[in-house]
Amino acid sequence: MSETTASLSAQARTAKLGAAEADGIVRCDACPVLCRIRPGRSGACARYANENGHLVRTDPVVLLHRTAEEGGRLVPFGAADWDGRALDPARTFVTGIGSGTTYPDYKPAPFIVASEHAGVETVTVVTEGIFSYCGLKVKIDTDRHLGPERAAIRAGGEEVGHVTTAEYGSQMLSIGGVRHLTGGSKKEGSVTCESMLALCSGEAVTLTTDGGHEVVVQAGRAPIVDGTPESRMRVGCGSATVGIFARQWLGHADEVIVVDDHITGVLTEHQAGRVLGMRPAGIRVRGRRSTPGRYFQVANPGIGWGGTDIADPLSLIQAIDPKTAWPGLRLLMTSTTGEHALWLVLDDDLKPVPAEMPPAVRAVVDRIGENCEPSLCTVLFVAGAGGSLRAGVTENPVLLTRSVAAGETRVTMGGAPVTVWPGGGITVMTDVTRLPGRAFGSVPTPALVAPIEFTLPRDLYARLGGHMSDVVAIGDILREVGAGARVDAWRPANPWPLPPPTRERP
């Protein structure tokens, strides 16, 4: 290292975390609650405790470690296997999980880690952020109608978010945010915080929507709507489904209607049917005709066929033109997931009569299902890294903001990659399933606590006005936190935040 790094004494660590008072009481200043903790007890958040007059973290610091060979098998380290043995500093990443916070603003981050990778001297600033300005974007892969856009979402009867714009085959929810955490009643803030923490921790949370339905949400699992687990995300809207499978229906069906809450497709009217030279069938569906073979608003949203409230698909047919249709016309009605399908043949009076579906048609309906991806819930944590957090990194926070925006400083959360939103400030978003377990916590202000790390070249850190006197070599940190740390294997799907180490010779 080009500069001498600071020592990491127990006294220095305690000074960063709190202050001793009379009778062995320690005042914790890790968040604005400022708990006074008696010996042997923990604070309101259960994250800090008084151990013999010293404030300590109840959760261990989490270190991530990877193999010597890039892309090789992960080292099977775990909490039960850790015996304090030395880790290779070049292949170890110190996360913000269990590190402690920067509150109040004037304190440097709990760990400012110096390391060298591929000849580049690097600094990683490690902390846990207290995020009052945070929320969750929840993507639920289902056509089922969960509730009207902008409708309130509730947990335990308390409003915790709202339904936002639906995306292609997914319902989108916005949970949390500062207005729910701090702008409502105390109970609303507490329930919002508890719900967000549970979702970030991979637990199942039951949500209800005003004017809508109940859904059980769990990151990485299928949603459960009104007690029924979802299995398929639609292959596309009704129009897209017609376009994808039109050629496969040619010669086996005279008309296909793909029922969809957004865009219902009618094959012979659709451009795909016209290109294939299909004969018009004369079957008109309800709704507002957009372009040929594409209909909007065929029914109300619901949990029936194609995300509509339709239980009987024949109710969708508005008229059958006797000048165009013919007896024996073969009609398939299906949903965008293939979960609902009905085969009909027009009788002599041109009335659709259910019949046994031919194998060739059934094969295409099954292929619709095959092309549907598994229905999952995705939970994205979104937060603004503001005052105390940035001050723990540098004495001039705006320089950090500019460096992050310019891509010079890499941001991670528990070692997981984040998306940095454009524009002012440092607003980050990450998939909670990419973080190590037990990465999130909370404080009763209420707010969520989440790990965050800033990695950048050491010389750049100095130019940003970083806390250079608090920089500690990673070897010293590993010796200090060693036996008390939790060591997890690096997740191969996550990019390594630091420059890659040189390959060792055999």
Side-chain angles (χ1 to χ4, degrees):
M1 293 295 168
S2 59
E3 298 181 41
T4 303
T5 54
S7 63
L8 189 70
S9 66
Q11 291 80 5
R13 293 283 294 152
T14 302
K16 281 190 176 186
L17 293 175
E21 296 185 356
D23 301 323
I25 295 174
V26 175
R27 176 178 53 78
C28 175
D29 59 7
C31 85
V33 174
L34 300 176
C35 293
R36 298 179 69 250
I37 307 174
R38 295 186 177 279
R41 305 292 294 273
S42 61
C45 68
R47 296 168 58 248
Y48 293 90
N50 184 338
E51 183 179 285
N52 300 322
H54 295 285
L55 194 64
V56 297
R57 282 288 274 112
T58 57
D59 296 324
V61 174
V62 174
L63 309 176
L64 299 177
H65 192 264
R66 67 175 189 170
T67 56
E69 296 81 12
E70 291 184 45
R73 185 178 62 85
L74 293 176
V75 177
F77 280 130
D81 303 319
W82 175 246
D83 60 3
R85 58 189 166 178
L87 291 172
D88 182 353
R91 309 184 195 281
T92 304
F93 186 76
V94 182
T95 77
I97 305 170
S99 67
T101 67
T102 60
Y103 188 88
D105 296 5
Y106 65 84
K107 291 191 299 190
F111 293 110
I112 303 179
V113 185
S115 55
E116 185 173 310
H117 297 264
V120 179
E121 292 191 1
T122 304
V123 170
T124 299
V125 184
V126 175
T127 187
E128 286 180 303
I130 300 175
F131 294 103
S132 296
Y133 291 87
C134 71
L136 306 178
K137 304 305 177 190
V138 181
K139 175 176 176 283
I140 300 177
D141 301 333
T142 178
D143 272 349
R144 312 293 184 208
H145 177 67
L146 302 181
E149 193 172 306
R150 302 187 303 277
I153 296 172
R154 301 182 186 274
E158 293 294 323
E159 186 175 345
V160 299
H162 66 274
V163 179
T164 185
T165 52
E167 303 302 339
Y168 204 59
S170 302
Q171 308 297 319
M172 308 292 283
L173 312 180
S174 180
I175 307 296
V178 69
R179 295 190 183 278
H180 287 295
L181 287 169
T182 67
S185 67
K186 183 177 181 181
K187 185 177 181 182
E188 178 183 340
S190 297
V191 172
T192 298
C193 188
E194 291 167 3
S195 300
M196 291 172 62
L197 178 58
L199 288 170
C200 287
S201 301
E203 300 173 12
V205 174
T206 300
L207 303 171
T208 58
T209 304
D210 289 0
H213 301 269
E214 176 188 279
V215 58
V216 179
V217 178
Q218 186 173 9
R221 301 289 184 89
I224 302 173
V225 181
D226 285 349
T228 302
E230 293 291 284
S231 59
R232 300 177 186 176
M233 177 183 180
R234 71 178 182 178
V235 66
C237 69
S239 173
T241 305
V242 164
I244 293 169
F245 298 101
R247 187 177 297 276
Q248 299 177 46
W249 280 313
L250 183 64
H252 301 292
D254 300 309
E255 183 63 284
V256 178
I257 299 172
V258 182
V259 183
D260 179 29
D261 173 39
H262 303 131
I263 307 173
T264 290
V266 180
L267 175 57
T268 61
E269 294 182 34
H270 196 277
Q271 184 66 13
R274 293 186 176 186
V275 169
L276 293 173
M278 294 189 71
R279 174 182 174 183
I283 299 176
R284 171 64 189 256
V285 301
R286 301 184 186 278
R288 178 166 63 86
R289 187 172 184 267
S290 170
T291 55
R294 303 170 76 248
Y295 289 82
F296 300 160
Q297 301 166 5
V298 298
N300 294 317
I303 58 173
W305 280 56
T308 70
D309 61 353
I310 292 175
D312 176 14
L314 291 176
S315 66
L316 187 65
I317 298 177
Q318 186 177 53
I320 298 178
D321 184 357
K323 296 179 181 180
T324 308
W326 63 93
L329 185 151
R330 302 164 297 174
L331 168 64
L332 172 67
M333 302 190 76
T334 182
S335 68
T336 51
T337 61
E339 293 172 290
H340 297 95
L342 181 64
W343 180 252
L344 303 145
V345 177
L346 299 194
D347 64 11
D348 291 340
D349 296 323
L350 301 184
K351 292 183 179 179
V353 178
E356 183 177 353
M357 188 176 300
V361 177
R362 170 58 63 187
V364 181
V365 172
D366 290 343
R367 184 163 291 176
I368 292 175
E370 179 186 350
N371 278 268
C372 294
E373 296 175 84
S375 181
L376 293 176
C377 298
T378 302
V379 178
L380 301 176
F381 176 72
V382 184
S388 60
L389 196 155
R390 291 182 301 155
V393 180
T394 172
E395 295 178 352
N396 194 356
V398 71
L399 298 182
L400 174 65
T401 303
R402 293 170 181 169
S403 178
V404 169
E408 300 170 329
T409 296
R410 176 175 291 183
V411 185
T412 51
M413 301 191 80
V418 305
T419 297
V420 179
W421 287 47
I426 303 175
T427 301
V428 294
M429 178 173 67
T430 188
D431 181 348
V432 301
T433 63
R434 301 186 73 169
L435 277 73
R438 304 190 302 280
F440 292 85
S442 66
V443 292
T445 48
L448 283 195
V449 177
I452 190 165
E453 305 93 27
F454 299 90
T455 301
L456 66 164
R458 183 172 180 142
D459 59 350
L460 174 59
Y461 185 59
R463 294 199 303 273
L464 297 183
H467 304 290
M468 298 303 295
S469 62
D470 287 87
V471 175
V472 182
I474 187 170
D476 293 338
I477 289 178
L478 295 182
R479 282 189 291 272
E480 177 71 27
V481 303
R486 182 182 121 206
V487 182
D488 286 2
W490 183 261
R491 302 189 178 197
N494 291 343
W496 186 245
L498 304 170
T502 55
R503 187 178 298 273
E504 296 177 352
R505 294 182 179 179

